Amino acid sequence: MKDANFLKAHNARQVWHPMAHPADSLANPPDIIVSGDGVEITDVDGHRMVDGVGGLWNVNLGYSCEPVKRAIAEQLDRLPYYSIFRGTSNDAVIELGAMLAEFFEPDGLSRAFYTSGGSDSVEVALRLARQYHKVRGEAGRVKFLSLKKGYHGTHTLGASVNGNANFRTAYEPLMPGCFHIPAPYTYRNPFNETDPARLAQLCLAALEDEIAFQGAGTIAAFIMEPVLGAGGVIPPHESFMPGVREICDRHGILLVADEVITAFGRTGSWSGSRHWGVRPDLMCTAKAITNGYFPFGAVMVSDRVAEVFEGDDSGMASIGSGYTYSGHPVGAAAAVACLKETERLCVKDNAAERGRQLFAGLEALKEAHEIVGDVRGGHGLMCALELVSDRETKAPIDKKTIGAVQRGAYEAGAMVRVSGPNIILSPPLVLSEGHIKKILAALDAGLAGAVKAAA
Ligand SMILES: Cc1ncc(COP(=O)(O)O)c(C=O)c1O
């Protein structure tokens, strides 16, 4: 590793950072993280903290997962790469396919299409949805519906179903045929409805209305996150996703569950769809499939969709999607080892229990700090604080103050993430009660310090 002086001198000079303004990265150089162990990370100055972000919602098993590291090293030694494009395969993807089919059997998903990450998984799922209808003889079903506030990665089709202007405006025009309905976000919504059950019904009515307006026969799929993540952790009422499933079924529309964050235990259930008792037609996974140790993803396909593709004898079901790194053997070996550890440790149970502790602690912070406008979570280890400058008017917090909260928490021993007006928490699923206390104490210090500094 280069020394600290070199790293600091070059920080953000030759690197453009995702989701950042290059000038801002130069003016406020990013924190340089140089090591991680357990659920803690250490920066270039030797400052150690609990990782309240879990890498980027993906390091579910923490930074010291030896079986995964070993599996990667062994696979690199034996076969560092071989393609699985038509005509060849490798042993690691075959083993993983069997394991994923077993893991997702309760979700009704039995086939895997491998990708290099979440955006790829979304792109492939949406393409397969259109192709499914074409193979079945309904070529007019090409449109996509999704939720405002949803995040589905940054490929152009995924960005087109994204529900947040930050990822859209600079790249418009996006794909035609993508339409959005209001998210079940009780703190702010166009219906001024604060009751989660009533709001779910209003959003479902909006979905019905949009389907009637577009014409059901023009719509390929509805895509949603079971719990909206990057949009600010928005868990819907328990009636919402089952309601979406019922509407999709009635109109012949496929339901794509974007579980890039929620698959593999984060919600306290093995998948977000299972959390709500729903079986999707297609499921996008990535992130925790390899615990962040290797870029990898998988689109899981239901029996119903698989039968249409596998039963086709016209040639139309030939899949014209795929990446050089689809089914990368090192990624697949990492995923096999991850899945074994994920199940052995039954991380969903710790996610549920520590998630309850974190959510209760955040509620207490809201009591103590006026700038906390809303606390969201209650479904495993994904929570958010939405900060406001005025609780009455819900005026969003300014950038400087929320930045000071993050900095204060960092200095007090916890990495937390700022996204717009939200502080987002998505720690590794293996953390302890003590780690949660540390995150909460650090946030408490960050909130108090930021208010003091602003006064
Ligand atoms: C729900 C969801 N879908 C898709 C993506 C895109 O994944 P990636 O960043 O791996 O391309 C993300 C990333 O955070 C996500 O949260």
Side-chain angles (χ1 to χ4, degrees):
M1 190 177 95
K2 290 281 188 190
D3 66 39
N5 289 337
F6 174 92
L7 297 173
K8 288 181 183 179
H10 287 262
N11 195 5
R13 301 231 158 257
Q14 292 91 21
V15 178
W16 276 12
H17 289 264
M19 307 298 181
H21 191 307
D24 182 58
S25 298
L26 287 169
N28 305 291
D31 297 310
I32 305 169
I33 306 303
V34 296
S35 66
D37 61 288
V39 298
E40 298 191 330
I41 49 175
T42 303
D43 73 16
V44 71
D45 295 317
H47 177 63
R48 190 177 163 96
M49 67 216 111
V50 179
D51 185 10
V53 191
L56 201 53
W57 320 80
N58 54 349
V59 185
N60 285 11
L61 301 169
Y63 294 90
S64 307
C65 196
E66 288 308 320
V68 182
K69 294 184 185 184
R70 256 197 325 273
I72 289 174
E74 282 167 13
Q75 185 65 46
L76 271 174
D77 260 355
R78 188 163 60 76
L79 180 70
Y81 176 76
Y82 212 82
S83 144
I84 66 162
F85 273 33
R86 181 171 57 85
T88 53
S89 192
N90 64 62
D91 55 304
V93 293
I94 298 170
E95 181 179 356
L96 178 60
M99 287 177 74
L100 288 172
E102 197 176 312
F103 185 81
F104 287 113
E105 197 269 336
D107 299 293
L109 304 163
S110 54
R111 315 288 201 277
F113 186 95
Y114 299 116
T115 69
S116 321
S119 297
D120 287 356
S121 292
V122 169
E123 208 72 5
V124 166
L126 296 178
R127 288 160 65 95
L128 289 178
R130 280 184 175 167
Q131 189 174 9
Y132 164 85
H133 292 294
K134 290 198 167 78
V135 174
R136 285 177 61 252
E138 282 198 274
R141 285 189 180 266
V142 295
K143 295 178 188 168
F144 298 114
L145 302 180
S146 59
L147 293 175
K148 286 186 179 161
K149 293 270 166 203
Y151 182 76
H152 302 291
T154 57
H155 292 353
T156 298
L157 206 46
S160 305
V161 293
N162 264 351
N164 187 325
N166 291 348
F167 313 115
R168 300 172 57 88
T169 314
Y171 308 102
E172 287 174 339
L174 295 170
M175 294 296 291
C178 298
F179 303 92
H180 300 75
I181 66 159
Y185 171 33
T186 46
Y187 193 59
R188 301 176 198 271
N189 61 74
F191 311 105
N192 222 1
E193 178 59 74
T194 53
D195 179 76
R198 281 204 299 268
L199 179 58
Q201 291 311 307
L202 290 166
C203 294
L204 291 172
L207 173 59
E208 284 272 25
D209 185 58
E210 192 62 33
I211 292 170
F213 178 67
Q214 299 294 337
T218 69
I219 302 167
F222 180 84
I223 181 166
M224 67 173 283
E225 298 159 271
V227 176
L228 283 82
V233 184
I234 302 173
H237 183 259
E238 62 187 17
S239 61
F240 184 69
M241 197 169 177
V244 170
R245 176 73 274 185
E246 188 277 321
I247 291 171
C248 286
D249 281 344
R250 204 156 17 86
H251 294 289
I253 297 168
L254 292 182
L255 173 57
V256 180
D258 184 350
E259 301 231 20
V260 168
I261 287 174
T262 51
F264 306 108
R266 183 156 293 281
T267 61
S269 304
W270 281 134
S271 73
S273 299
R274 221 177 298 179
H275 194 70
W276 301 126
V278 166
R279 289 174 148 218
D281 298 301
L282 294 159
M283 182 191 284
C284 311
T285 76
K287 292 202 189 270
I289 195 168
T290 48
N291 197 43
Y293 288 21
F294 198 89
F296 200 79
V299 177
M300 295 304 302
V301 181
S302 65
D303 293 334
R304 178 176 126 189
V305 171
E307 277 159 21
V308 168
F309 278 77
E310 291 170 9
D312 169 66
D313 54 15
S314 71
M316 275 185 76
S318 178
I319 296 171
S321 279
Y323 307 99
T324 299
Y325 300 126
S326 287
H328 196 295
V330 179
V336 166
C338 269
L339 205 46
K340 284 184 189 161
E341 277 303 277
T342 295
E343 289 192 293
R344 187 183 70 79
L345 299 169
C346 202
V347 294
K348 72 174 176 53
D349 293 346
N350 197 52
E353 197 171 331
R354 296 281 73 81
R356 277 190 286 276
Q357 181 195 352
L358 180 61
F359 189 51
L362 295 175
E363 295 275 22
L365 289 181
K366 183 179 171 191
E367 294 301 310
H369 301 280
E370 194 67 20
I371 61 169
V372 179
D374 196 27
V375 176
R376 292 188 291 275
H379 300 272
L381 280 170
M382 50 192 301
C383 292
L385 295 178
E386 181 166 340
L387 304 189
V388 289
S389 55
D390 182 330
R391 260 198 199 172
E392 281 304 305
T393 63
K394 299 186 183 175
I397 197 76
D398 60 284
K399 241 177 147 172
K400 193 165 159 232
T401 307
I402 195 165
V405 174
Q406 192 271 351
R407 192 64 357 213
Y410 186 99
E411 279 158 14
M415 175 70 97
V416 301
R417 181 161 166 247
V418 172
S419 174
N422 302 306
I423 299 276
I424 295 193
L425 297 159
S426 53
L429 307 189
V430 293
L431 84 178
S432 67
E433 189 179 350
H435 292 126
I436 295 277
K437 283 187 181 157
K438 210 163 169 188
I439 292 172
L440 290 166
L443 264 175
D444 193 19
L447 288 161
V451 170
K452 220 190 224 166

